[in-house]
Amino acid sequence: VVERAVFDGLALHLGRGLDAVFGPGAWVPTRGPWRGVALPNLPGSDARWSVPHRHWHVDEPTTADRPHPYSLGAFVFVDRVAAGGGATVAMLGSPRRLRALAVDLAPGRALTLDESTRGLARVEPWVDALLRPGSDPAARHRRFMIDGCVSADVPLRVVELIGEPGDVILMDLRCLHAPSASVGDRPRLIVKMACVAPP
């Protein structure tokens, strides 16, 4: 449980990183039951890693009139996470693209999860293909992680959130992301922590 004192060092490490990037106190790790969660991903039976087509989602809804997120997700690496090792995958550019989609689909309200995924797929063939299974992992890797696409003037591309012990990756929680299969020989060990801008 991330609320336990043994994880205090991670919160301090994260806080120093936030101060270095954004300035002192601009973003701070949350406290209490929303502080974070350990997210191990154990090796499975998949023979080859492939860009996932299922479970794409956002952790915070998108509205057209809010340029900045309410919170940030921080992936704090406890161990090395290599490509194919069960990392979360994220769609670069998706927060901007979803804001543009919200102008069309959800003026005055937040996009629903269905609008953020299937709604985007209805207007962008590249996203539609991403959300469908594919039989060729190499072709999916090339199309979604190398080539990407430009949708409504926003470049989109899928990346794996990989890193070394002590690394931190910050993510806008309006970013589309998904879990991926772990095909390595060791579990993915990270702690996902939450950060907020003080009032």
Side-chain angles (χ1 to χ4, degrees), residues 125-137:
W126 184 86
V127 175
D128 182 61
L130 174 67
L131 301 183
R132 296 178 186 275
S135 59
D136 185 345

Side-chain angles (χ1 to χ4, degrees), residues 18-174:
L18 291 167
D19 287 348
V21 172
F22 298 106
W27 289 90
V28 297
T30 58
R31 301 177 183 274
W34 296 106
R35 183 160 97 167
V37 60
L39 294 176
N41 188 352
L42 303 179
S45 59
D46 293 355
R48 290 183 68 188
W49 189 89
S50 185
V51 177
H53 68 278
R54 292 180 296 194
H55 308 303
W56 285 90
H57 64 283
V58 294
D59 290 345
E60 185 176 293
T62 301
T63 58
D65 60 351
R66 186 172 176 83
H68 303 295
Y70 290 102
S71 56
L72 296 175
F75 294 79
V76 182
F77 289 76
V78 179
D79 195 4
R80 183 171 188 263
V81 178
T88 296
V89 293
M91 186 188 297
L92 297 181
S94 59
R96 285 178 54 210
R97 182 62 185 92
L98 290 176
R99 280 190 65 213
L101 184 68
V103 171
D104 297 329
L105 295 185
R109 64 173 176 85
L111 288 174
T112 66
L113 177 57
D114 185 69
E115 288 169 334
S116 297
T117 53
R118 293 191 194 97
L120 182 56
R122 282 192 288 273
V123 298
E124 178 47 63
W126 184 86
V127 175
D128 182 61
L130 174 67
L131 301 183
R132 296 178 186 275
S135 59
D136 185 345
R140 284 184 68 81
H141 181 272
R142 183 173 55 254
R143 181 171 188 184
F144 300 114
M145 300 187 73
I146 297 174
D147 296 342
C149 80
V150 177
S151 179
D153 297 323
V154 178
L156 301 177
R157 188 166 59 87
V158 173
V159 295
E160 285 183 273
L161 304 187
I162 59 176
E164 300 292 332
D167 285 351
V168 176
I169 294 178
L170 298 174
M171 186 177 77
D172 184 328
L173 292 178
R174 301 168 301 175

Side-chain angles (χ1 to χ4, degrees), residues 2 7 10-11 14 29 35-37 72-76 191-195:
V2 178
F7 291 100
L10 291 183
L14 175 57
R35 183 160 97 167
V37 60
L72 296 175
F75 294 79
V76 182
V191 174
K192 185 178 178 184
M193 304 183 79
C195 314

